[in-house]
Amino acid sequence: MKKFLIVALLLLPCSAYAADYSFKNRINVAVNGAYTDAMGDFEKALKAAEIDRTNFAFGISAGFGLFEWLEPGLEFQYFGKYSGTHSITNTKNEDTIYMGGIYLKAYLPTISISDSCGLELYGKVGSGRYYQSIKSKPAAGLSQSQDKDDAGFSAGMGFDFTWDHMFTGIEYRIHRADEKDLVSSVGLNVGYRF
């Protein structure tokens, strides 16, 4: 039932507005919220510190339609603060991650759903700096902190429903930093084309 409700909400605007599928020479601005799941060594570190490996992230991006099928852009993603208290040592642990970088989206030809709505499928790759702040506060003793930043990249795919100047869709991505898996994310994008 939830799946049908989400699809209905995504398609609702298709019956109300005139379509403008072209995004060539237009600026595309989007915000997103995503459910994230830690991967690889990051997941192991969270488990060792007894921190939940899932979180909620949000971000913003802006790109420019070079052609009818290609969009380079800039993005910022905040993966949130992973926090928890170790049951044995009573140590409070926090791990905060965010990134800034560039991306490139490549679109397949738009699929017309109706006279006023289209569906765009795309692949996406990105590169940037991933910043991590790790803090540990034992029940007795001094707090410790470590900040680090690493080069990283992301890859994923998604789809957008477009109508008039608006678009909304779902995107899946995998992020890697320092050549190690970091997080995977599934999120909802909402945007506007100027």
Side-chain angles (χ1 to χ4, degrees):
M1 181 66 177
K2 289 181 182 179
K3 292 178 184 177
F4 292 116
L5 182 60
I6 290 171
V7 171
L9 288 174
L10 288 172
L11 290 175
L12 183 63
C14 290
S15 61
Y17 299 95
D20 186 0
Y21 302 139
S22 174
F23 63 91
K24 182 178 179 182
N25 298 328
R26 293 170 70 176
I27 296 172
N28 306 306
V29 177
V31 294
N32 69 56
Y35 172 83
T36 65
D37 194 0
M39 302 170 63
D41 289 343
F42 182 52
E43 178 186 8
K44 292 175 185 174
L46 292 180
K47 282 184 176 178
E50 295 189 9
I51 298 175
D52 187 2
R53 70 181 196 181
T54 61
N55 210 347
F56 187 76
F58 66 88
I60 186 168
S61 63
F64 184 74
L66 282 180
F67 309 103
E68 292 293 339
W69 55 273
L70 192 65
E71 176 192 323
L74 303 172
E75 68 178 330
F76 171 81
Q77 190 79 35
Y78 176 70
F79 294 98
K81 183 182 291 185
Y82 296 81
S83 60
T85 302
H86 197 279
S87 61
I88 297 174
T89 63
N90 205 28
T91 301
K92 293 182 180 178
N93 299 295
E94 291 181 357
D95 201 325
T96 305
I97 300 175
Y98 61 95
M99 67 83 66
I102 58 175
Y103 70 86
L104 188 64
K105 289 171 79 170
Y107 290 87
L108 293 175
T110 301
I111 300 168
S112 179
I113 295 175
S114 71
D115 290 340
S116 59
C117 190
L119 173 65
E120 296 175 340
L121 304 171
Y122 63 85
K124 183 175 184 179
V125 293
S127 178
R129 299 298 293 181
Y130 288 75
Y131 299 89
Q132 189 172 11
S133 176
I134 304 167
K135 295 181 181 178
S136 180
K137 186 176 182 180
L142 298 174
S143 298
Q144 296 179 344
S145 63
Q146 177 187 6
D147 295 325
K148 61 180 184 176
D149 66 285
D150 294 302
F153 72 91
S154 64
M157 63 184 125
F159 63 87
D160 289 330
F161 289 104
T162 62
W163 70 98
D164 195 32
H165 290 273
M166 300 290 295
F167 61 93
T168 184
I170 295 176
E171 182 176 279
Y172 173 76
R173 292 174 82 181
I174 293 176
H175 296 265
R176 288 176 57 95
D178 192 26
E179 299 181 357
K180 299 172 185 174
D181 289 337
L182 187 62
V183 297
S184 64
S185 65
V186 177
L188 177 68
N189 299 321
V190 177
Y192 188 84
R193 290 180 173 164
F194 293 92

